[in-house]
C-alpha cells in the first residue's frame, strides 16, 4: 500500500514541478498505474488519500502560507510584515510584479490555482473509476460509496474555496488526459458555487458520521465535515435558512464539543484532532510537519527561538481593542503582549519541535490547518439566526461562546450582528476565516470593516476583494480574463 500511495503522490508532485504549456493541461496523477490499479479496496483508499495530500499542498503554497494568506493576511489582524514577499500581500498590493521564471515566489504561487485543479482531477478520477470496480473488492458497497462521497466532498470544497478567492474559475468534472486537454474559460461565480453545491449534495448522500477508519476522524470527510461546508457555503450565498439547518445538524449530533479555553487545552485545538475539530488538514502526524508556514511567520522569542521578532506584525492596539476585557481566557491563553512593546504575539501555533538543542537546529511545526471547528459553526449559526431576525436564539449561542471565554453575557454594547462577527474575530483569530467574514459582513449586512488603507468601499465594490490571476495564467490561457478590479490596474 505504501508503494502505491508513494507513486500517486510522486506523480502529483512531479507534474506540478514540470510545468505545462497550457493552463489546464491536467495530467491525472495516477494515470501510469491504471492498468494494474483500481483493483482493491486498498487501491481505492490510496487514491482517496491522494486527494487530501493534494489539497494540503494547495493550502500550503506560498511557503506554507496559502490558507492564511487568503484568509487572514489582508485583514485587520496583520498590520505589516518584515518579509519582502509578504508585506505587499499584507498591504493588499496583489498586483506586485513577479517574473514568470520566479515560480517559488509566494505572490506567483498564490495567484495560481494549479494544485487545486490537481486535487479536483484526482477527485474526478475517484468518481469515475470506483463505480467500475468489482464490488467484491470492498468490504461492502457502502465502503466503496463512502470513498466516492469523499471525492465529491473534496471537489465541492475546492470549488467553494476557489470561488471565494477568485470568484470565476473553470469548472471541470471529468478527469482530462493530456492529449484531450483544452483551455477553458472561467465560469460565473454563481455557476462555480452551484457546482460546489451539487457536489456537496451528492456527498451528503454517500458519507456517514463515522469515518471508515476512526483514526481519520476530522482528517478526512464525513457527514459532519460536509454539513460544516454546507453551512459556510450557504452563509457565503446569504442563504441563511439553509446555513442554520446545516449548522444545527452538526451541533446537535453530539460528536463535537468545546475545548477548555485555558492555555494548554486551548492550544490542543491547533495540534489537531481535538473535541472541536470537524475538518482539518493533517500536519501533525508522526511523519508530518512543516518547516515554514504560519508558526514560522507568526512566532518569535520564547515560542520560537530562531527568531527574535515575528515576521508578521500584529498591532497591540488592535488586540487590546479586540479583547476589551483582559479577563478573556482566549486573550490570556494565546496572546503575549509583554514580549515586545510594539506588537503582540499569537501563540496558537507554538507546537514546534527542534531537531536538537543546537542554535541552528531545524524547526518542525506540527500544527494542523483547522478548516472547520465546533465554535466556528456555533457562531455561524448565530450569524444565520440574527440574519433572519431570531435575535434571542442568536444571543443564546453568542453567550455560550462568551461563557466559555469567561466573559459576561452580551449587553447590546454593539449591534447584535456586529457583536457576532466581533466574537468570531476573537475566537477564530488567525484561523483563516477573518477575510471571508469581513466580505460577508459587508455584502449581507452593509457593515464595512476592512482597513481603508488596504481596501476602501469603492475598491471593494469594484471587486478588489477577489484575488488576481497571475499574468502567467493569462498568457497561457487566452480564454481566461483577469478578475474585475485587477483588470483595471497594472499587473
Amino acid at each position: 500500500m505504501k508503494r502505491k500511495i508513494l507513486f500517486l503522490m510522486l506523480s502529483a508532485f512531479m507534474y506540478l514541478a514540470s510545468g505545462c504549456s497550457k493552463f489546464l493541461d491536467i495530467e491525472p496523477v495516477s494515470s501510469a498505474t491504471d492498468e494494474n490499479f483500481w483493483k482493491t479496496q486498498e487501491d481505492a483508499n490510496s487514491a482517496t488519500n491522494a486527494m487530501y495530500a493534494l489539497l494540503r499542498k494547495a493550502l500550503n503554497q506560498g511557503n506554507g502560507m496559502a490558507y492564511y494568506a487568503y484568509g487572514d493576511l489582508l485583514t485587520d489582524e496583520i498590520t505589516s510584515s518584515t518579509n519582502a514577499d509578504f508585506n505587499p500581500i499584507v498591504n493588499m498590493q496583489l498586483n506586485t510584479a513577479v517574473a514568470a521564471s520566479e515560480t517559488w515566489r509566494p505572490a506567483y504561487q498564490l495567484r495560481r490555482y494549479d494544485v487545486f485543479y490537481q486535487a479536483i482531477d484526482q477527485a474526478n478520477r475517484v468518481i469515475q473509476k470506483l463505480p467500475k470496480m468489482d464490488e467484491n473488492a470492498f468490504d461492502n458497497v457502502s465502503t466503496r460509496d463512502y470513498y466516492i462521497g469523499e471525492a465529491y466532498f473534496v471537489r465541492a470544497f475546492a470549488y467553494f474555496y476557489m470561488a471565494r478567492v477568485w470568484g470565476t474559475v473553470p469548472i471541470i468534472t471529468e478527469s482530462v488526459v493530456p492529449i484531450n486537454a483544452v483551455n477553458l474559460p472561467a465560469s460565473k461565480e454563481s455557476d462555480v458555487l452551484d457546482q460546489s453545491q451539487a457536489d456537496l449534495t451528492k456527498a451528503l448522500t454517500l458519507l456517514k458520521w463515522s469515518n471508515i477508519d476512526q483514526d481519520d476522524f476530522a482528517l478526512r470527510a464525513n457527514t459532519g465535515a460536509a454539513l460544516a461546508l454546507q453551512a459556510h457555503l450557504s452563509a457565503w450565498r446569504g442563504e441563511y435558512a439553509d446555513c442554520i439547518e446545516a449548522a444545527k445538524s452538526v451541533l446537535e449530533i453530539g460528536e463535537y464539543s468545546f475545548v477548555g479555553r485555558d492555555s494548554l487545552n486551548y492550544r490542543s485545538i491547533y495540534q489537531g484532532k481535538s473535541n472541536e475539530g470537524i475538518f482539518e488538514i493533517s500536519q501533525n502526524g508522526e511523519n508530518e510537519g512543516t518547516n515554514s508556514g504560519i508558526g514560522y511567520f507568526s512566532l518569535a522569542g520564547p515560542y520560537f527561538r530562531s527568531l527574535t521578532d515575528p515576521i508578521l506584525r500584529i498591532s497591540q492596539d488592535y488586540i487590546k481593542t479586540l479583547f476589551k476585557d483582559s479577563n478573556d481566557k482566549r486573550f490570556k491563553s494565546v496572546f503575549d503582549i509583554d514580549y515586545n512593546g510594539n506588537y503582540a504575539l499569537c501563540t496558537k501555533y507554538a507546537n514546534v519541535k527542534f531537531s536538537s538543542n543546537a542554535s541552528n537546529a531545524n524547526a518542525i511545526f506540527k500544527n494542523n490547518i483547522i478548516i472547520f471547528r465546533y465554535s466556528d459553526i456555533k457562531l455561524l449559526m448565530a450569524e444565520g439566526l440574527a440574519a433572519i431576525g431570531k435575535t434571542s436564539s442568536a444571543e443564546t449561542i453568542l453567550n455560550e461562546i462568551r461563557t466559555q471565554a469567561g466573559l459576561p453575557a452580551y449587553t447590546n454594547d454593539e449591534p447584535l450582528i456586529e457583536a457576532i462577527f466581533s466574537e468570531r474575530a476573537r475566537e477564530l483569530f488567525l484561523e483563516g476565516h477573518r477575510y471571508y467574514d469581513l466580505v460577508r459582513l459587508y455584502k449581507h449586512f452593509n457593515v464595512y470593516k476592512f482597513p481603508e488603507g488596504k481596501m476602501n468601499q469603492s475598491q471593494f465594490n469594484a471587486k478588489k476583494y477577489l484575488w488576481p490571476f497571475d499574468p502567467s495564467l493569462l498568457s497561457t490561457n487566452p480564454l481566461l480574463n483577469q478578475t474585475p478590479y485587477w483588470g483595471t490596474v497594472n499587473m
Side-chain angles (χ1 to χ4, degrees), residues 423-466:
E423 204 61 51
R424 285 183 65 83
R426 286 185 285 270
E427 179 68 23
L428 304 172
F429 190 94
L430 211 58
E431 294 186 35
H433 290 283
R434 181 63 172 166
Y435 190 75
Y436 312 116
D437 285 358
L438 292 178
V439 172
R440 289 199 316 279
L441 184 59
Y442 184 51
K443 291 181 74 172
H444 300 329
F445 305 101
N446 201 34
V447 177
Y448 192 83
K449 289 196 174 182
F450 274 101
E452 289 285 331
K454 297 188 179 188
M455 176 171 59
N456 59 41
Q457 290 185 53
S458 176
Q459 292 171 328
F460 183 102
N461 293 334
K463 296 191 175 182
K464 185 181 180 181
Y465 65 88
L466 296 173

Side-chain angles (χ1 to χ4, degrees), residues 209 217 222 224-225 250 253-258 275-278 374:
W209 285 100
F217 191 82
N222 63 8
V250 174
I253 193 63
E255 293 283 356
Y256 314 99
S257 60
F258 287 114
N275 291 342
E276 291 214 20
I278 298 175
Y374 185 68

Side-chain angles (χ1 to χ4, degrees), residues 108-158:
Y108 178 91
Q109 295 181 4
L110 295 170
R111 295 188 307 217
R112 297 182 63 100
Y113 41 62
D114 311 58
V115 190
F116 283 106
Y117 278 104
Q118 288 185 27
I120 287 171
D121 187 68
Q122 184 65 10
N124 289 342
R125 293 184 64 73
V126 172
I127 291 169
Q128 290 171 213
K129 296 292 187 180
L130 262 62
K132 299 176 183 178
M133 290 178 63
D134 186 345
E135 292 182 5
N136 294 322
F138 296 88
D139 291 340
N140 49 63
V141 176
S142 65
T143 298
R144 181 200 66 181
D145 291 347
Y146 193 103
Y147 290 131
I148 298 171
E150 289 186 84
Y152 277 110
F153 169 86
V154 168
R155 196 167 76 180
F157 179 86

Side-chain angles (χ1 to χ4, degrees), residues 19 25 181 222 238 256 292 348 367 385 472:
D25 285 354
N222 63 8
Y256 314 99
S292 185
K348 286 184 174 181
N367 307 289
L385 290 166
S472 61

Side-chain angles (χ1 to χ4, degrees), residues 78-94:
I78 308 297
T79 57
S80 65
S81 174
T82 61
N83 181 281
D85 279 312
F86 281 104
N87 198 51
I89 293 171
V90 168
N91 290 319
M92 216 167 180
Q93 298 165 350
L94 303 181

Side-chain angles (χ1 to χ4, degrees), residues 210-333:
S210 297
N211 294 72
I212 293 173
D213 184 340
Q214 288 306 297
D215 286 340
D216 291 331
F217 191 82
L219 305 181
R220 287 173 57 160
N222 63 8
T223 298
L227 286 169
L229 176 56
Q230 179 67 76
H232 271 278
L233 174 56
S234 297
W236 186 254
R237 305 189 85 165
E239 297 169 351
Y240 280 111
D242 292 336
C243 169
I244 294 167
E245 181 180 357
K248 184 179 180 181
S249 296
V250 174
L251 300 173
E252 292 185 350
I253 193 63
E255 293 283 356
Y256 314 99
S257 60
F258 287 114
V259 168
R261 270 40 184 165
D262 295 317
S263 181
L264 293 178
N265 289 329
Y266 196 31
R267 290 184 191 172
S268 72
I269 292 173
Y270 312 103
Q271 294 175 23
K273 300 189 71 172
S274 72
N275 291 342
E276 291 214 20
I278 298 175
F279 182 57
E280 309 171 2
I281 300 299
S282 180
Q283 300 191 142
N284 191 32
E286 182 178 349
N287 297 313
E288 295 175 339
T290 61
N291 58 12
S292 185
I294 188 61
Y296 178 86
F297 285 94
S298 64
L299 297 171
Y303 310 98
F304 179 39
R305 70 187 191 213
S306 299
L307 294 177
T308 302
D309 295 323
I311 295 170
L312 296 175
R313 298 295 174 84
I314 301 169
S315 165
Q316 278 202 15
D317 289 340
Y318 174 74
I319 294 301
K320 290 176 182 178
T321 300
L322 181 62
F323 291 88
K324 296 176 182 178
D325 190 332
S326 60
N327 292 316
D328 192 317
K329 291 181 179 180
R330 298 164 299 189
F331 172 73
K332 292 180 176 180
S333 294

